[in-house]
Coordinates of all heavy atoms in Angstrom, one line a residue:
R2 N 103.6 126.6 160.7 CA 102.3 125.9 160.5 C 101.9 125.0 161.6 O 102.8 124.2 162.0 CB 102.3 125.2 159.1 CG 102.4 126.1 157.9 CD 102.3 125.3 156.6 NE 101.1 124.6 156.5 CZ 100.8 123.7 155.5 NH1 101.8 123.5 154.6 NH2 99.7 123.0 155.5
R52 N 82.1 122.2 145.2 CA 83.0 122.8 146.2 C 83.4 121.7 147.3 O 84.5 121.8 147.8 CB 82.2 123.9 146.9 CG 83.1 124.8 147.9 CD 82.2 125.9 148.3 NE 82.9 126.9 149.1 CZ 82.6 127.4 150.3 NH1 81.5 126.8 150.9 NH2 83.3 128.3 150.9
L55 N 86.6 120.0 146.5 CA 87.8 120.8 146.8 C 88.1 120.9 148.3 O 89.2 120.8 148.7 CB 87.6 122.2 146.2 CG 88.8 123.1 146.3 CD1 90.0 122.6 145.5 CD2 88.5 124.6 145.9
L56 N 87.0 120.9 149.1 CA 87.1 120.9 150.5 C 87.8 119.6 151.0 O 88.6 119.5 151.9 CB 85.8 121.0 151.2 CG 85.1 122.4 151.1 CD1 83.7 122.4 151.6 CD2 85.9 123.4 152.0
A58 N 89.8 117.7 149.2 CA 91.2 117.7 148.8 C 92.0 118.5 149.8 O 93.1 118.2 150.1 CB 91.3 118.3 147.4
W59 N 91.4 119.6 150.2 CA 92.1 120.5 151.2 C 92.3 119.8 152.5 O 93.4 119.7 153.0 CB 91.2 121.7 151.4 CG 91.6 122.6 152.5 CD1 92.9 123.2 152.8 CD2 90.8 123.1 153.6 NE1 92.8 124.0 153.9 CE2 91.6 123.9 154.4 CE3 89.4 122.9 153.9 CZ2 91.1 124.6 155.6 CZ3 88.9 123.6 155.0 CH2 89.7 124.4 155.8
A63 N 95.8 117.1 149.7 CA 96.2 116.6 148.4 C 97.2 117.5 147.7 O 97.1 118.7 147.7 CB 94.9 116.4 147.5
M66 N 96.1 117.6 141.7 CA 94.6 117.6 141.3 C 94.2 116.3 140.7 O 94.9 115.8 139.8 CB 94.4 118.8 140.4 CG 92.9 119.2 140.3 SD 92.7 120.7 139.3 CE 93.4 122.0 140.4
V100 N 83.9 126.5 157.1 CA 84.6 127.4 156.2 C 83.9 128.7 156.0 O 84.4 129.8 155.9 CB 84.9 126.7 154.9 CG1 85.2 127.7 153.8 CG2 86.0 125.7 155.0
P104 N 86.4 133.0 159.5 CA 87.3 133.7 158.5 C 88.7 133.1 158.4 O 89.2 133.0 157.3 CB 87.3 135.1 159.0 CG 86.0 135.3 159.8 CD 85.8 134.0 160.4
D105 N 89.2 132.7 159.5 CA 90.6 132.1 159.5 C 90.6 130.8 158.8 O 91.5 130.5 158.0 CB 91.1 131.9 160.9 CG 91.4 133.2 161.7 OD1 91.6 134.2 161.0 OD2 91.3 133.2 162.9
V106 N 89.5 130.0 159.0 CA 89.4 128.7 158.3 C 89.2 128.9 156.8 O 89.9 128.3 155.9 CB 88.3 127.8 158.8 CG1 88.1 126.5 158.0 CG2 88.6 127.5 160.3
F107 N 88.4 129.9 156.4 CA 88.2 130.2 155.0 C 89.5 130.7 154.3 O 89.8 130.3 153.2 CB 87.1 131.3 154.8 CG 86.9 131.7 153.4 CD1 86.1 130.9 152.6 CD2 87.5 132.8 152.9 CE1 86.0 131.2 151.2 CE2 87.4 133.1 151.5 CZ 86.6 132.3 150.7
Q108 N 90.2 131.5 155.0 CA 91.5 132.0 154.5 C 92.4 130.9 154.1 O 93.1 130.8 153.1 CB 92.1 133.0 155.4 CG 93.4 133.6 154.8 CD 94.0 134.7 155.7 OE1 93.5 135.1 156.7 NE2 95.2 135.1 155.3
S109 N 92.5 129.9 155.0 CA 93.3 128.7 154.8 C 92.9 127.9 153.6 O 93.7 127.5 152.7 CB 93.3 127.8 156.0 OG 94.1 126.6 155.8
F110 N 91.6 127.8 153.4 CA 91.0 127.1 152.3 C 91.2 127.8 151.0 O 91.6 127.3 150.0 CB 89.5 126.9 152.5 CG 88.7 126.3 151.4 CD1 89.1 125.1 150.8 CD2 87.6 126.9 150.9 CE1 88.4 124.6 149.7 CE2 86.8 126.4 149.8 CZ 87.2 125.2 149.2
Y111 N 91.0 129.2 151.1 CA 91.2 130.0 149.9 C 92.7 130.0 149.4 O 92.9 129.9 148.2 CB 90.8 131.4 150.3 CG 90.9 132.5 149.2 CD1 89.8 132.7 148.4 CD2 92.0 133.3 149.0 CE1 89.8 133.6 147.3 CE2 92.1 134.2 148.0 CZ 91.0 134.4 147.2 OH 91.0 135.3 146.2
Q112 N 93.6 130.0 150.4 CA 95.0 129.9 150.0 C 95.3 128.6 149.4 O 96.1 128.5 148.4 CB 95.9 130.1 151.2 CG 97.4 130.0 151.0 CD 98.0 131.2 150.2 OE1 98.2 132.2 150.8 NE2 98.1 131.0 148.9
F113 N 94.8 127.5 149.9 CA 95.0 126.2 149.4 C 94.5 126.1 147.9 O 95.2 125.5 147.1 CB 94.3 125.1 150.2 CG 94.2 123.8 149.5 CD1 95.2 122.9 149.6 CD2 93.0 123.4 148.8 CE1 95.2 121.6 149.0 CE2 93.0 122.2 148.2 CZ 94.0 121.3 148.3
A114 N 93.4 126.7 147.6 CA 92.8 126.6 146.3 C 93.8 127.1 145.2 O 93.9 126.5 144.1 CB 91.5 127.4 146.3
F115 N 94.5 128.2 145.5 CA 95.5 128.7 144.5 C 96.6 127.7 144.4 O 97.0 127.4 143.2 CB 96.0 130.1 145.0 CG 97.0 130.7 144.0 CD1 96.5 131.4 142.9 CD2 98.3 130.5 144.2 CE1 97.4 132.0 142.0 CE2 99.2 131.0 143.3 CZ 98.8 131.8 142.2
K116 N 97.2 127.3 145.5 CA 98.3 126.4 145.4 C 98.0 125.1 144.7 O 98.8 124.5 144.1 CB 98.9 126.1 146.8 CG 99.5 127.4 147.5 CD 100.0 127.1 148.9 CE 100.7 128.3 149.5 NZ 101.1 128.0 150.9
F117 N 96.7 124.6 144.9 CA 96.3 123.4 144.3 C 96.3 123.4 142.8 O 96.3 122.4 142.1 CB 94.9 123.1 144.8 CG 94.4 121.6 144.7 CD1 95.3 120.6 145.0 CD2 93.2 121.3 144.1 CE1 94.9 119.3 144.9 CE2 92.8 120.0 144.0 CZ 93.6 119.0 144.4
C118 N 96.2 124.7 142.2 CA 96.1 124.8 140.8 C 97.5 124.9 140.2 O 97.7 124.9 139.0 CB 95.4 126.1 140.4 SG 93.7 126.1 140.9
L119 N 98.6 124.9 141.0 CA 99.9 124.9 140.5 C 100.4 123.5 140.2 O 100.8 122.8 141.1 CB 100.9 125.6 141.5 CG 100.4 127.0 142.0 CD1 101.4 127.5 143.1 CD2 100.4 128.0 140.8
Q124 N 105.9 126.4 139.2 CA 104.8 127.2 138.7 C 104.4 128.2 139.8 O 104.2 127.8 140.9 CB 103.6 126.4 138.2 CG 102.5 127.2 137.7 CD 101.3 126.3 137.2 OE1 101.4 125.0 137.1 NE2 100.1 126.9 137.0
K125 N 104.2 129.4 139.4 CA 103.8 130.5 140.4 C 102.6 131.3 140.0 O 102.1 132.2 140.7 CB 105.0 131.4 140.7 CG 106.2 130.7 141.3 CD 107.3 131.7 141.6 CE 108.4 131.0 142.3 NZ 109.5 132.0 142.6
I127 N 98.6 131.2 137.8 CA 97.5 130.4 137.1 C 96.8 131.3 136.1 O 96.8 132.5 136.2 CB 96.4 129.9 138.2 CG1 95.8 131.1 138.9 CG2 97.1 129.0 139.1 CD1 94.7 130.6 139.8
M135 N 88.1 128.7 139.8 CA 88.4 128.4 141.2 C 87.7 129.4 142.1 O 87.1 129.0 143.1 CB 89.9 128.5 141.4 CG 90.3 127.8 142.7 SD 89.8 126.1 142.9 CE 90.8 125.2 141.8
L136 N 87.7 130.7 141.7 CA 86.9 131.7 142.5 C 85.5 131.3 142.7 O 84.8 131.5 143.7 CB 87.1 133.1 141.9 CG 88.4 133.8 142.1 CD1 88.4 135.1 141.3 CD2 88.6 134.1 143.6
V139 N 85.3 128.4 145.2 CA 85.7 128.7 146.6 C 84.8 129.7 147.3 O 84.5 129.5 148.4 CB 87.2 129.3 146.6 CG1 87.6 129.7 148.0 CG2 88.1 128.2 146.1
M140 N 84.5 130.8 146.6 CA 83.7 131.9 147.2 C 82.2 131.7 147.0 O 81.8 131.3 145.9 CB 84.2 133.3 146.7 CG 85.5 133.7 147.2 SD 85.8 135.5 146.7 CE 86.9 136.0 148.1
I162 N 97.3 135.1 136.9 CA 97.2 135.7 138.2 C 98.2 135.1 139.1 O 98.4 133.8 139.1 CB 95.8 135.4 138.8 CG1 94.7 136.1 137.9 CG2 95.7 135.8 140.2 CD1 94.7 137.6 138.0
N163 N 98.9 135.9 139.9 CA 99.9 135.3 140.9 C 99.3 135.3 142.3 O 98.1 135.7 142.5 CB 101.2 136.1 140.8 CG 101.0 137.5 141.2 OD1 100.2 137.9 142.1 ND2 101.8 138.4 140.6
N164 N 100.0 134.7 143.2 CA 99.5 134.5 144.5 C 99.2 135.9 145.2 O 98.2 136.0 146.0 CB 100.5 133.7 145.4 CG 99.9 133.4 146.7 OD1 99.0 132.6 146.9 ND2 100.5 133.9 147.8
D165 N 100.0 136.9 145.0 CA 99.8 138.2 145.6 C 98.5 138.8 145.2 O 97.7 139.4 146.0 CB 100.9 139.1 145.3 CG 102.2 138.8 146.1 OD1 102.1 138.1 147.1 OD2 103.3 139.3 145.7
Q166 N 98.2 138.6 143.9 CA 96.9 139.1 143.4 C 95.7 138.3 143.9 O 94.7 138.9 144.2 CB 97.0 139.1 141.8 CG 98.0 140.1 141.2 CD 98.3 139.7 139.8 OE1 98.2 138.6 139.3 NE2 98.7 140.8 139.0
W167 N 95.9 137.0 144.0 CA 94.9 136.1 144.5 C 94.5 136.5 145.9 O 93.4 136.6 146.3 CB 95.3 134.7 144.3 CG 94.4 133.6 144.9 CD1 94.5 133.1 146.2 CD2 93.3 133.0 144.3 NE1 93.6 132.1 146.4 CE2 92.8 132.1 145.2 CE3 92.7 133.1 143.1 CZ2 91.7 131.3 145.0 CZ3 91.6 132.3 142.8 CH2 91.1 131.4 143.7
M168 N 95.6 136.6 146.8 CA 95.3 136.9 148.2 C 94.9 138.4 148.3 O 94.2 138.7 149.3 CB 96.6 136.6 149.0 CG 96.9 135.1 149.1 SD 95.5 134.1 149.6 CE 95.2 134.7 151.2
G169 N 95.4 139.2 147.4 CA 94.9 140.6 147.4 C 93.4 140.8 147.3 O 92.8 141.6 147.9
F170 N 92.9 140.0 146.4 CA 91.4 140.0 146.2 C 90.7 139.5 147.4 O 89.6 140.0 147.7 CB 91.0 139.2 144.9 CG 89.5 139.2 144.7 CD1 88.8 140.3 144.4 CD2 88.8 138.0 144.9 CE1 87.5 140.3 144.3 CE2 87.4 138.0 144.7 CZ 86.7 139.1 144.4
Y171 N 91.3 138.5 148.1 CA 90.6 138.1 149.3 C 90.6 139.2 150.3 O 89.5 139.5 150.9 CB 91.4 136.9 149.9 CG 91.1 136.6 151.3 CD1 89.9 135.9 151.6 CD2 91.9 136.9 152.4 CE1 89.5 135.6 152.9 CE2 91.5 136.6 153.7 CZ 90.4 136.0 153.9 OH 90.0 135.7 155.2
R172 N 91.7 139.9 150.5 CA 91.7 141.0 151.5 C 90.7 142.1 151.0 O 90.0 142.7 151.8 CB 93.1 141.5 151.6 CG 93.2 142.6 152.7 CD 94.7 142.9 153.0 NE 95.5 143.5 152.0 CZ 95.6 144.8 151.7 NH1 94.9 145.7 152.5 NH2 96.3 145.2 150.8

Side-chain angles (χ1 to χ4, degrees):
R2 292 183 61 184
R52 190 175 188 233
L55 186 62
L56 287 168
W59 170 53
M66 195 173 290
V100 162
D105 291 335
V106 175
F107 177 81
Q108 183 176 353
S109 176
F110 174 54
Y111 183 87
Q112 177 72 81
F113 167 82
F115 181 86
K116 292 180 179 178
F117 198 49
C118 295
L119 304 178
Q124 182 181 346
K125 294 182 179 181
I127 60 175
M135 196 57 72
L136 283 173
V139 175
M140 284 190 155
I162 296 292
N163 62 35
N164 186 65
D165 286 344
Q166 293 164 331
W167 175 265
M168 294 308 297
F170 177 65
Y171 167 72
R172 184 166 67 89

